Amino acid sequence: MTTPIKPGLQAPQPQVQLRTQSPGAGSAGSAQGAASVRPSDDSVKITDSAKALDAASRGEGIDTKRVEEIRSRLAEGTYKPDAQAIASKFLAMEGQIGGVKA
């Protein structure tokens, strides 16, 4: 069977019925049906990494004075990054991602 699709027209959606609700129950039955629904065992756990990422995206914990100092030193051409410290931090981060502590 084929159904032609016409722009601007949507196919009628079937009416959804809850499993706890009988077809002729009406609004009084829906209140009783809602009371008999079991609570879900679903849960969500936010990892420390996700919390840190969220805080960073909001700018929490950022030393704005230090950021401005580095920006001005970059603009002046006087900023000299410590390559050894940067490499060490990357190795530590790689260890955390891979599950191995550096």
Side-chain angles (χ1 to χ4, degrees):
M1 177 179 164
T2 60
T3 304
I5 300 174
K6 297 179 182 176
L9 297 178
Q10 295 182 352
Q13 298 293 320
Q15 190 172 11
V16 177
Q17 183 175 352
L18 299 175
R19 283 185 243 162
T20 58
Q21 190 177 27
S22 61
S27 61
S30 65
Q32 291 173 348
S36 66
V37 175
R38 293 183 310 168
S40 175
D41 291 337
D42 293 343
S43 65
V44 175
K45 182 180 182 218
I46 308 297
T47 63
D48 291 337
S49 299
K51 290 175 187 175
L53 183 60
D54 180 50
S57 70
R58 286 195 244 133
E60 296 174 7
I62 295 176
D63 186 353
T64 54
K65 183 178 177 185
R66 176 84 172 130
V67 171
E68 289 305 317
E69 176 189 331
I70 292 173
R71 276 192 183 144
S72 66
R73 289 176 59 195
L74 279 169
E76 295 166 2
T78 60
Y79 182 70
K80 304 286 187 242
D82 182 356
Q84 186 65 38
I86 294 170
S88 295
K89 298 266 181 166
F90 271 118
L91 286 173
M93 183 176 64
E94 181 68 25
Q96 288 176 345
I97 292 171
V100 179
K101 295 194 177 193

